Amino acid sequence: MTSLNIIATNFNDLMSRPPFKHVKRIPYDEVADMGKLVHETVMVQSSPLIVDKWHKSPAWNGSIFKLNYLKTHYGTEDIVCRDVNHNIDVEMKMKDFIDHIRKPSNGSDTGSESLLYGKDLSCPEKWRESIMDELLPPIVAYRGPNDLNAFYPEKAAETLMLYIGKEGTRTPLHYNHCGTVGHNILLHSDDNAHSIWFMIAAEDKTKAELLFKSLGYPLERESHFASVEQLTQAEFPIYVVEQRVGDLVLIPSLTYHQVLNVVWKDYRQSSLE
């Protein structure tokens, strides 16, 4: 499994090696003008950005960002999960999926057992209101002034989604289509759990496609999760984020990225604007 060598890699050791680079990080309460920061850094400079410590905000409603909330209010709903070890979709009830991810990990995933990832799940309305209407700024608001879906609500695509996974669940290298800027906030995790992001700047998009094509993994298929060894072969920067609770990750347009959930389980809310 290519994800296992990342799980076993010390983060500080990883960041001491080329071509890995840190992403700019700034606390939310130190940002004078969020719209200007996001516009200049993410949209104009096409650089990824982390605005962190949102869980310290008075508007943070952490009491509802719980698995028990989902099980109580949405437990009987049918959802489709991704078995990332076998590349198949599995239909099940939300409550059964929650029971699955609550099972302790033995830390020895070989790829033979099912590893379910709740991807692209509908975001609960109460969560949407809490995050998008009360916490985050208008520049990233779902169907807000910078979201084209707001202008055509009858034809709007569902772009506000929930991701729930345990250690080893992952999203392969891909980029957001249609010129969109993505953003993702980690709402809750167990102790020491986090997500690791790897990003390739838009200016290096063609170089990345040529590199992975030479390795036998055409990125257009959006099915390959790159190993540390493969990423180390890049002759261009690989930007890395260690995302923890309250971290809002902003992903520029045409930026290849992959995400790995590490240690235990986490659940995130993600959107494209």
Side-chain angles (χ1 to χ4, degrees), residues 73-139:
H73 296 277
Y74 299 91
T76 60
E77 289 197 3
D78 294 315
I79 62 172
V80 178
C81 303
R82 186 68 172 172
D83 184 339
V84 297
N85 280 347
H86 299 102
N87 294 321
I88 59 173
D89 291 330
V90 179
E91 295 184 9
M92 62 197 314
K93 298 292 185 183
M94 173 68 83
K95 61 182 180 180
D96 296 327
F97 170 66
I98 290 175
D99 289 340
H100 166 80
I101 66 170
R102 277 178 163 162
K103 294 178 181 178
S105 173
N106 58 22
S108 59
D109 176 32
T110 62
S112 60
E113 297 183 357
S114 294
L115 185 58
L116 301 182
Y117 192 15
K119 299 181 60 177
D120 302 335
L121 304 181
S122 295
C123 182
E125 183 65 17
K126 193 170 182 179
W127 290 25
R128 185 202 66 75
E129 293 174 354
S130 179
I131 293 293
M132 290 297 168
D133 297 345
E134 302 171 12
L135 181 71
L136 297 182
I139 185 72

Side-chain angles (χ1 to χ4, degrees), residues 152-167:
Y152 304 96
E154 69 281 358
K155 297 181 179 180
E158 179 61 53
T159 60
L160 185 66
M161 297 166 285
L162 194 65
Y163 293 73
I164 309 175
K166 61 193 299 184
E167 181 178 36

Side-chain angles (χ1 to χ4, degrees), residues 45-57:
Q45 300 174 15
S46 194
S47 297
L49 175 68
I50 310 164
V51 182
D52 64 13
K53 297 186 174 15
W54 287 102
H55 63 302
K56 302 293 185 181
S57 166

Side-chain angles (χ1 to χ4, degrees), residues 256-269:
Y256 272 110
H257 55 285
Q258 66 178 30
V259 188
L260 174 68
N261 297 324
V262 180
V263 177
W264 186 222
K265 54 181 176 286
D266 69 37
Y267 25 120
R268 296 176 283 122
Q269 185 184 58

